[in-house]
Amino acid sequence: MIGSAVKSMAGYCRHICLYRGGGGQGLVVMLLLLLVPAVLCAATGQETPETDKGIFSLTFENDKFAHFDDNYTNGVRISWLSGINDVPHLLRTAAARSPLFPDHGDSRIEYAAGQSMYTPGNIKLVNPPLTDRPYAGWLYGSVGVISENGIRLHQLELKLGVVGPSSKAEEAQKFVHEYISDSPEPMGWHTQLPDEPGIQLTYQRSWRAVATTEIYDFGIDFTPTSAIALGTVFDYVEAGAMVRMGKDLCLDYGPPRVQPSPPGSSFFTKSPGLSGYVFGGVTGRLVAHDLFLDGSFTEDSRSVEKEYFVVDLIAGAALTWKNIRFTYTHTYRTPEFEAQHGLEQYGSMTLSIKF
């Protein structure tokens, strides 16, 4: 059943390709242990159209790519996206009947874990200014359901985790800074937001290839996106769009990123050889609540006056070789709080392997 569905999907991908022709030390060690065997397996495994056991993705984000070391300073996310319709029957039935998901879509379930860290502008200060962003960490696990029908992608994700010292963001940053030249030791983590549980529900929707064209054998498509997030960590709504240009543009909705961010996805289809594209986009976000700026729900803590409207500008490139996709995204973000000056920048790399 699944093999037949995958074969149909592969045929559909060939048809819709626009222009045919083609937390601390333990966390780092865990990611390496998972990544190395996955790469070896993908490199040696035989590729067949029927193979669709799932997609492994590792995302790493850091502002050092832009020569900064403040605000949203680091994020890591590891995920496993199941094969087509390899979803518990109850969830698949609920997705099929829900207005949140498209008709006749293929559903998948995604499990993920991640860590994000935030710091003020000058990490060398023992007592950062009260007008600057507080130190904070966020460690979480998540489960999500996605549904895709070749035109639209819908994603619903529930995160559960902890904000505060238990997130181990302090240990992770200090460990990494020991091995990066010219990186000062962060001195103000004792002022970070206190421990409290976090719960986050996010729904994202992408409309693929609303408009397509071709210029000198290069395909171009335009994908609008929208999202809403509710919970104790973030409350926001956002809307935006992404433009892709490249050779052999098969089914792809842009790379996954650590939220909040313009929507992307671990989902992609295999390429018969080497293919790639460049992309750019813009997203506007109305923010009602940001725990990392507004401060703790449960205790007195540091906080700053946030900006209620934030814009993300992104640019990047993706390369797909058979069942492996590598992407880089550079993000420019407008100030998130009143005392922040200039655009925030960070880079994001994602390696995805389709089994």
Side-chain angles (χ1 to χ4, degrees), residues 84-131:
I84 293 176
N85 295 323
D86 186 11
V87 178
H89 179 73
L90 181 62
L91 285 178
R92 191 167 58 196
T93 301
R97 296 178 178 176
S98 169
L100 296 178
F101 293 96
D103 295 332
H104 311 296
D106 291 319
S107 53
R108 300 171 185 256
I109 191 167
E110 183 171 41
Y111 303 97
Q115 182 192 61
S116 299
M117 65 180 70
Y118 301 84
T119 64
N122 188 348
I123 64 174
K124 293 189 248 184
L125 297 178
V126 175
N127 189 26
L130 295 178
T131 56

Side-chain angles (χ1 to χ4, degrees), residues 322-343:
K322 296 184 177 179
N323 64 321
I324 300 175
R325 180 181 69 174
F326 177 79
T327 63
Y328 177 79
T329 307
H330 199 89
T331 299
Y332 299 85
R333 179 170 291 168
T334 60
E336 296 182 273
F337 59 97
E338 290 185 359
Q340 184 179 357
H341 302 291
L343 293 175

